[in-house]
Amino acid sequence: MKIPRREFLKLGLVGGAGLILPFGASACSLFPKGGANVETDSSAGNVLRSTARLPEPFTVPLPIPPVAKPVRSDSIADYYEITQKVGHAEILPGMKTEVWGYDGIFPGPTIESRSGRRTIVTHRNELHVPTVVHLHGGKNPHEYDGYPTNLVLPVGGWHSKDHSSHSGDISKGAKEYIYPVDQPAATLWYHDHRMDFTGPQVYKGLAGFHLIHDDEEERLPLPKGERDIPLMICDRAFAEGGSMIYPSLDPSLSGRPGVKPDYMSGVLGDCILVNGAPWPYMEVTNTRYRFRILNASNARRYKIALDPPPKQGPSFIQVGSDGGLLGKPLHHYEIQIAQAGRFDVIIDFSGYSIGEKVTLVNRLGDGGTARIMRFVVARKGNDDSHVPRRLGDYESLSPSQAKETREFTFQRGGAERNGMTLWTVNGKLFDPQRIDAYPRLGAVERWKIRTLNVPHPIHIHLARFQVLSRDNGAPGPYDAGWKDTVDLDSGGEAEVLAKFDGYRGKYVFHCHNLEHEDMAMMDNFEVV
Ligand code: C2O
Ligand code: CU
Ligand code: CU
């Protein structure tokens, strides 16, 4: 048997403690045989190696996902119809890859909403397994939030081999998701959220952007139109012939959930895709661009930087975070972005000469995963955009507003299922029936989130939050603004102030390492 190579936490190796034994693995299989190719990545997980021939980096142009058109509009809402189906994409040049896509494409079509106007999306499921649509970052009623057991069954019918008691709100064939869009301009994304199977279903392609615009954003002199570009970064591995590799225990995704023991910490690919293209390039003018950067990977973190950096200073001017615009812009030489995180940034190409090539690199990667995409400064352009000193109305929450304090520890172990030690929250496995917190509608709460063993990016549905402290000190450089995901190192701790605004009902919070999420690192709160 071929022993896959593992990626270890730098911290774990240096500290000599905290080395993680993958499930079912014995200590002697912990170290890769035949070569010490240990990736120095801070992501929990194990790299799948492609056997397909991967292209030379920066030879495929960057695709931009199409913007969805409403099938109709009335005075209060825009209506969309999306069909979830199998598609065949040319991801690797000359090969066809089967994807599961919204409208059969990966990434799915970008939905653009206007704050204050409803967006109503009917999703039809033409796949052969149940799906669930979650609008990540959305402030939506429980029934439209994509609760993991609120399944949309395939139009062709569904006979589950899985007899565990999943007691959701079941839709047959299609479901209408009604989004009130009562929230400010922000970069959201929608993705699959089927209980126990989110990892493989997102990996196969069920992810797309959903942008919200509002007047405040529109009045800003930031780059617009063709210079406002969403970038969905993710990693995949490909088999000979071009199909995606994912180590599911049951590749049909209709029976036993979970991945092979070696991948329980996370599935990492060796090929970096941006908007579904491998290490693409994009021609730009020597002007400012706005990029909405999303890490849609299952388990990989990135630390992005420009190589070479612009002469005038920091590579990125951050204007927005997960939940919308910052109060004022923030400058970064590099940005660490965990799974599901969004950074809305301006890159100014005016300091580069025409013809210059600027690579977006990943400082947490190694070999192929150290590169993401390339910008080629192809032409001169006119630029009347700028980044104002003040961006938006930003209300800073204060700890004195917090009515309640809660603590959650994310770790491996503490509970078992079928003899396997899974990922837990406060030592417990996800159970759709058990609710562990009851925040009051509209309340601000202080949540202390801790991790053991490995890093975990923690995501809360419905509530937006602000990071109050990290490891008992100030928030980190990537914590600014309204967030819905906070990235924690192994043994890390953060306190967040979360506002449970919007709707009563049951919602989840979970680790956004999708393999951890699928293997029980999820919990419920109910807004009352
Ligand atoms: Cu992006 Cu509960 O997920
Ligand atoms: Cu979410
Ligand atoms: Cu995790």
Side-chain angles (χ1 to χ4, degrees):
M1 187 189 127
K2 194 171 140 229
I3 308 287
R5 293 157 181 145
R6 299 173 203 295
E7 296 196 7
F8 289 122
L9 267 176
K10 271 187 218 158
L11 279 175
L13 285 175
V14 173
L19 274 185
I20 306 310
L21 282 175
F23 299 88
S26 60
C28 58
S29 71
L30 188 61
F31 294 98
K33 287 177 186 160
N37 192 346
V38 173
E39 296 214 3
T40 55
D41 207 282
S42 77
S43 306
N46 197 351
V47 186
L48 284 163
R49 302 283 165 188
S50 295
T51 48
R53 228 187 66 182
L54 300 177
E56 272 299 301
F58 322 129
T59 53
V60 176
L62 175 79
I64 311 280
V67 174
K69 288 190 190 56
V71 289
R72 67 193 175 90
S73 293
D74 59 28
S75 57
I76 55 159
D78 300 303
Y79 301 79
Y80 294 86
E81 285 172 13
I82 288 181
T83 303
Q84 304 172 6
K85 58 183 183 189
V86 168
H88 293 91
E90 185 172 334
I91 296 176
L92 305 177
M95 285 177 241
K96 284 282 185 239
T97 301
E98 180 184 302
V99 297
W100 292 8
Y102 295 111
D103 282 347
I105 58 171
F106 166 54
T110 300
I111 299 176
E112 299 207 33
S113 294
R114 191 81 196 173
S115 179
R117 248 184 97 68
R118 282 185 187 193
T119 294
I120 300 174
V121 189
T122 301
H123 277 273
R124 187 178 151 82
N125 179 6
E126 291 186 1
L127 296 165
H128 71 273
V129 296
T131 61
V132 173
V133 183
H134 170 54
L135 175 52
H136 182 124
K139 188 168 102 180
N140 293 313
H142 160 87
E143 54 190 313
Y144 307 122
D145 188 56
Y147 189 81
T149 54
N150 288 353
L151 306 177
V152 183
L153 302 185
V155 275
W158 170 246
H159 306 284
S160 178
K161 291 186 241 159
D162 170 15
H163 298 294
S164 62
S165 56
H166 286 180
S167 52
D169 201 338
I170 307 294
S171 311
K172 288 191 177 148
K175 176 178 167 98
E176 189 177 67
Y177 289 83
I178 303 176
Y179 302 127
V181 200
D182 167 27
Q183 60 187 106
T187 301
L188 311 186
W189 62 304
Y190 62 106
H191 63 76
D192 193 72
H193 217 300
R194 176 184 168 205
M195 180 159 154
D196 297 340
F197 294 95
T198 296
Q201 297 193 174
V202 170
Y203 193 92
K204 286 168 184 287
L206 290 171
F209 279 100
H210 188 143
L211 311 179
I212 297 178
H213 301 291
D214 66 10
D215 297 345
E216 184 182 50
E217 180 207 28
E218 205 164 79
R219 277 195 296 267
L220 293 174
L222 300 175
K224 290 188 171 67
E226 290 187 341
R227 291 195 285 127
D228 175 356
I229 294 182
L231 298 177
M232 177 188 286
I233 302 174
C234 62
D235 57 336
R236 296 290 186 266
F238 297 92
E240 229 118 3
S243 58
M244 288 185 192
I245 312 173
Y246 188 87
S248 289
L249 289 174
D250 173 3
S252 75
L253 307 187
S254 56
R256 191 168 174 210
V259 293
K260 296 184 180 139
D262 283 337
Y263 296 90
M264 290 207 61
S265 291
V267 172
L268 303 169
D270 60 357
C271 178
I272 307 297
L273 306 181
V274 185
N275 294 346
W279 300 291
Y281 74 90
M282 177 195 179
E283 289 192 350
V284 294
T285 55
N286 64 341
T287 58
R288 289 182 195 85
Y289 282 73
R290 176 176 181 183
F291 293 104
R292 300 158 182 271
I293 302 176
L294 158 68
N295 178 359
S297 308
N298 284 30
R300 187 177 288 282
R301 280 178 179 67
Y302 303 80
K303 188 175 269 181
I304 57 171
L306 293 179
D307 179 25
K311 292 174 202 75
Q312 72 271 20
S315 298
F316 309 108
I317 306 172
Q318 186 188 355
V319 295
S321 56
D322 301 342
L325 292 167
L326 301 180
K328 34 182 190 335
L330 257 184
H331 295 247
H332 299 283
Y333 287 91
E334 53 185 24
I335 294 177
Q336 183 162 321
I337 176 167
Q339 301 94 297
R342 283 92 70 212
F343 285 83
D344 196 338
V345 302
I346 306 297
I347 298 180
D348 184 354
F349 293 104
S350 68
Y352 294 105
S353 23
I354 302 302
E356 216 171 330
K357 296 179 171 75
V358 186
T359 307
L360 185 69
V361 297
N362 169 25
R363 294 209 166 128
L364 298 177
D366 188 9
T369 62
R371 299 176 282 213
I372 298 173
M373 66 173 289
R374 174 168 282 173
F375 301 103
V376 179
V377 185
R379 290 175 295 282
K380 284 201 168 120
N382 293 327
D383 196 359
D384 52 10
S385 73
H386 72 273
V387 183
R389 272 171 218 274
R390 213 187 137 274
L391 293 165
D393 273 327
Y394 181 77
E395 176 212 0
S396 241
L397 299 177
S398 117
S400 64
Q401 289 169 266
K403 297 272 180 291
E404 192 79 55
T405 301
R406 303 182 200 272
E407 292 187 26
F408 296 101
T409 300
F410 289 73
Q411 63 166 315
R412 198 184 49 219
E416 292 197 351
R417 183 186 291 155
N418 303 332
M420 287 211 292
T421 308
L422 301 180
W423 301 93
T424 59
V425 183
N426 285 351
K428 287 177 268 187
L429 303 173
F430 179 55
D431 173 353
Q433 308 303 336
R434 194 192 67 243
I435 295 167
D436 284 321
Y438 292 91
R440 298 208 159 268
L441 182 64
V444 173
E445 294 198 355
R446 182 176 185 148
W447 284 24
K448 186 182 270 194
I449 302 169
R450 295 196 306 142
T451 63
L452 303 177
N453 327 114
V454 294
H456 300 284
I458 308 305
H459 169 50
I460 308 178
H461 283 218
L462 183 76
R464 295 193 302 164
F465 58 77
Q466 296 174 2
V467 179
L468 178 64
S469 74
R470 200 176 255 283
D471 302 324
N472 295 310
Y478 317 117
D479 289 337
W482 285 105
K483 309 273 277 184
D484 53 50
T485 308
V486 61
D487 186 24
L488 291 173
D489 281 342
S490 174
E493 182 180 306
E495 287 184 291
V496 304
L497 293 172
K499 198 165 185 178
F500 292 85
D501 224 3
Y503 306 92
R504 292 190 177 81
K506 183 167 77 165
Y507 295 86
V508 288
F509 61 105
H510 58 86
C511 178
H512 223 289
N513 172 313
L514 298 183
E515 284 71 40
H516 298 185
E517 175 186 340
D518 281 347
M519 285 172 275
M521 193 171 250
M522 178 145 67
D523 201 347
N524 292 297
F525 65 88
E526 183 177 343
V527 179
V528 292

